[in-house]
Amino acid sequence: MTHQPVLDLHTHSNRSDGLDTPAYLMQRAKRLGVDLIGLADHDTTDGWAEGLASAKQLGLGFLPAIEISTHAVLSSKKRISVHILAYRPDPNHPKLVEELAKTRESRVGRAKRMVELISEDYPISWEEITQHIRPGSTVGRPAIADALARAGIVKDRSAAFDTILHKSSPYYISEHSLSTTEAIELAIEAGAAPVIAHPLMDFPAGKSTADLPDTHFKEMVEAGLKGLEVYHRQVPKAAREWLLDFAKNHNLFTTGSSDYHGVGGKVNELGENSTSVEDFRSLIAQSSGADYYLPEELDWL
Ligand code: AMP
Ligand code: FE
Ligand code: FE
Ligand code: ZN
């Protein structure tokens, strides 16, 4: 190894709300000098086979993952959506298969209802949207954002998320999901290492870390949480120190990732953050459900 390897542990393909095929994503990663990709589509393992085959051809590392939609109830008024990354889950674990299917189905119903509401005020339709998404892919608000952009109502995905698709918008509906601790326990059962994706991404700048949901984090550790995705562009600098400290005190590894969704899907670029070899080793040592792949020249494990 002549350079520090770039390990990008969290990316999305068109099997969920990314724009690239898994194969194209791997080609782009190779071009940009990334050494290993974690493919973590929302609530599906569908892209793994194509991603792995492409990684092998290109001499890239491949880490199979999923990003599970979950929720946490922090108080009678506060229900938040939390994404849990599960690294190397057994893709055939019956309960995991069943739960992911349930979440994907509920995402379709929820997206349809949102489109129904939006279409009372703006000219978009569910039929038009289905023509633009890959059959079977996990549907999310990005598919609706793309329709709003095609109709000229917003400039791009981000503009849609800031307005019509925002969580506080009257058109917003949430999908069915497991609770954070249920998802963590299920991930562990399926042989995966669970990691909180972009933790505290809505943490307001200038707010005191004393306001953080310390108790909830401890509950997740008790359920089996193994890591925190600290290095992600949406994790506010003010929260990072608290997270690093928490990770150290609870023996969690930390990861760095892009959360790439394709060019135009999000500004996030492949390889913009990386996970250290040491943290990667720790992740591998604590997961066993699915095989990862490392080309020989990268095999420093
Ligand atoms: P959903 O899963 O349907 O609630 O939609 C959330 C997904 O939308 C996230 O996983 C992100 O990938 C994507 N997303 C959120 N905010 C933005 C944004 N500003 N621009 C593009 N994509 C976004
Ligand atoms: Fe996404
Ligand atoms: Fe996420
Ligand atoms: Zn993601």
Side-chain angles (χ1 to χ4, degrees), residues 107-118:
R107 278 172 158 284
V108 175
R110 168 255 195 166
K112 269 188 188 164
R113 284 199 302 283
M114 282 185 70
V115 170
E116 253 167 48
L117 290 175
I118 296 169

Side-chain angles (χ1 to χ4, degrees), residues 276-291:
S276 74
V277 170
E278 192 191 340
D279 285 301
F280 182 73
R281 278 197 196 113
S282 173
L283 182 160
I284 293 300
Q286 297 182 81
S287 54
S288 59
D291 289 339

Side-chain angles (χ1 to χ4, degrees), residues 40 46 69 71 85 122 137 140 174 185 201 214 223 231 243 246:
D46 197 39
S69 312
H71 69 271
L85 293 158
Y122 300 97
S137 66
S174 59
E185 281 160 10
M201 84 177 179
D214 189 60
Y231 304 102
L243 290 164
F246 187 91

